[in-house]
Amino acid sequence: MSDSGQSTGVDEQRALDEVPAEPVSQTEQEQLRAVTDYSSKDKDRLSMEVKVNAPFRTYYDGRAFSLTAENRTGPFDVLPKHHNFMSLLSPCELIIRTVNKGDQHIKIAGGLLHVKADKVIVFLDV
């Protein structure tokens, strides 16, 4: 390989060929990075169980990397390994960054959120 930087080694070329097309938005870039980082065998360790229930409907039940909600003090995120936590939720849009289904958006009029041992339960319409 010459010092001019014009020649590319085999390993460098392979790395260049394996780069996926750039996602369009910053959100897509973050999702791609999260999927890449968490698609390993450790994805269950880096995710949490999330259930969003109303009295007669289940809105979401599955694994997620994070949940974004809002209470009287403002927006907040719940991530894996979060401390035990309870909060009344203000009207907002819940954003659940799921392991398999992308982002799930649920508009709510209020509710109760409970976090304990990597399990998040949201009760709506209570």
Side-chain angles (χ1 to χ4, degrees), residues 43-109:
K43 71 180 177 184
D44 286 336
R45 184 175 61 82
L46 299 171
S47 64
M48 57 194 175
E49 186 67 29
V50 176
K51 293 183 182 182
V52 180
N53 296 312
F56 300 105
R57 182 174 174 192
T58 298
Y59 288 89
Y60 182 78
D61 185 0
R63 307 283 309 164
F65 297 123
S66 70
L67 178 135
T68 301
E70 190 172 327
N71 61 17
R72 289 184 66 186
T73 60
F76 64 91
D77 293 318
V78 177
L79 303 170
K81 309 296 182 201
H82 198 284
H83 282 280
N84 295 346
F85 177 71
M86 287 186 79
S87 179
L88 289 174
L89 299 177
S90 300
C92 67
E93 183 175 63
L94 290 179
I95 301 171
I96 305 166
R97 288 171 185 82
T98 70
V99 170
N100 297 323
K101 300 177 184 176
D103 286 1
Q104 301 288 312
H105 297 260
I106 305 168
K107 288 189 179 200
I108 65 167

